[in-house]
Amino acid sequence: MKRRPEPELMEEPEQALAYAQADFSESNTLFIKLLAQLKPGPLHGARALDLGCGPADIVCRFLRAYPNATCDAVDGSPAMLDQARATLERLPGLAPRCRLLLECLPSPALAPGQYDLVLSNSLLHQLHNPQVLWQTVRETARPGALVLVMDLMRPASAGWAEALVATYTANEPELLRTDFRNSLFAAFEPKEVEDQLQEAGLSELQVGVVSDRHLAVFGRLAAP
C-alpha cells in the first residue's frame, strides 16, 4: 500500500485534547517495556531527549520508571505542549525533572552530543522527511547513547488499516478514528525504516516489529 503523508503537526486544540484524552496505555506501556528490555541500568544522572512528546504520557512513565533521570521533551505543536504542561502540573514530583521545548526538527536549540538516551514515540510517521528525525538522533546523542523509537507500521492494504481502526478506536471520537486511519496510511514499513537508517549512517540500530501495528528502532550508537 502506497504511503499517504499527513500533516506534520496536531495544531488544533480540539485535536490535541482528543489525543491527550485517548487511551494509549497499551502502546505506551509497551514502549516502557521495550526500553527496560534494552537494559539501560539505573540511569543515575542520565539526560534523556523525547522527540515528539505529545501530551507527555511517555515522559511521565519514563520519569517514574527511572527516578534518577531527567528529560527534555520536544514537540512542535503549541496545543500539544499545553496538554503536556497540564499533565506535568498535576504531577509536582515529576515536573522539576522535565523541560518542555517548543521546537520543530531540525532544531538548533537542541544541544549536540548531550543526551544519554534519545526516545521517540509516534513521531516518525508524521514527518514528510524522515531524515530530520534520524539526523537529530545522530546530532544530539552522546556516543554510546541508547536509542528507542517506536511508531506505527503501515498495513499492507486499506482493508487491514480499516480492521485496525475498528479494533483499536471503536469507542473513540470520530476525530481520533480519522487521525488513526490517516496515521496508518502515513506510517512506514520496516524495510523503509531500515533504508532510512542506512542513509543516516545509523546501521548499528535495529528495526523490529513489536505489535500488530507498531515497529521499533532500538540499540546503542557506536562509541568512538
Side-chain angles (χ1 to χ4, degrees):
M1 186 172 69
K2 185 177 180 180
R3 183 180 187 237
R4 188 172 68 197
E6 63 176 348
E8 290 196 331
L9 298 175
M10 292 187 179
E11 297 185 292
E12 297 299 324
E14 297 83 1
Q15 191 179 26
L17 179 61
Y19 189 86
Q21 292 178 338
D23 183 8
F24 292 111
S25 58
E26 180 187 351
S27 58
N28 291 355
T29 298
L30 173 62
F31 186 95
I32 298 300
K33 180 180 178 181
L34 292 172
L35 180 58
Q37 291 174 353
L38 296 176
K39 302 185 185 305
L43 299 181
H44 288 292
R47 188 178 179 189
L49 176 64
D50 183 1
L51 299 171
C53 68
D57 183 67
I58 281 184
V59 172
C60 293
R61 291 172 185 265
F62 168 76
L63 293 175
R64 286 193 191 99
Y66 301 96
N68 297 303
T70 61
C71 186
D72 287 352
V74 178
D75 205 283
S77 166
M80 198 63 82
L81 278 189
D82 285 344
Q83 296 298 324
R85 192 170 294 107
T87 298
L88 288 164
E89 286 174 354
R90 296 191 293 269
L91 300 166
L94 299 183
R97 294 163 51 212
C98 179
R99 184 171 64 141
L100 297 177
L101 301 172
L102 178 62
E103 298 289 337
C104 290
L105 304 184
S107 170
L110 299 178
Q114 295 300 307
Y115 293 98
D116 303 289
L117 300 91
V118 181
L119 312 173
S120 182
N121 180 55
S122 295
L123 173 64
L124 179 61
H125 74 269
Q126 297 179 8
L127 299 173
H128 294 177
N129 176 13
Q131 284 302 321
V132 299
L133 173 59
W134 305 124
Q135 293 302 324
T136 299
V137 170
R138 280 179 55 88
E139 292 167 3
T140 59
R142 297 180 188 274
L146 192 65
V147 175
L148 176 59
V149 174
M150 193 171 88
D151 207 276
L152 291 171
M153 177 174 59
R154 190 167 78 251
S157 68
W160 188 356
E162 290 302 325
L164 291 171
V165 170
T167 299
Y168 294 107
T169 61
N171 298 318
E172 300 291 353
E174 183 57 34
L175 174 63
L176 199 69
R177 290 169 58 85
T178 298
D179 281 345
F180 183 50
R181 180 183 296 107
N182 290 342
S183 294
L184 288 170
F185 277 94
F188 294 98
E189 297 175 343
K191 179 60 168 62
E192 292 172 330
V193 177
E194 290 174 355
D195 291 343
Q196 293 167 17
L197 295 173
Q198 289 289 333
E199 180 181 344
L202 294 171
S203 57
E204 65 267 45
L205 300 180
Q206 301 179 53
V207 180
V209 175
V210 294
S211 85
D212 61 350
R213 63 201 186 281
H214 293 102
L215 57 78
V217 176
F218 52 89
R220 287 191 181 273
L221 298 188

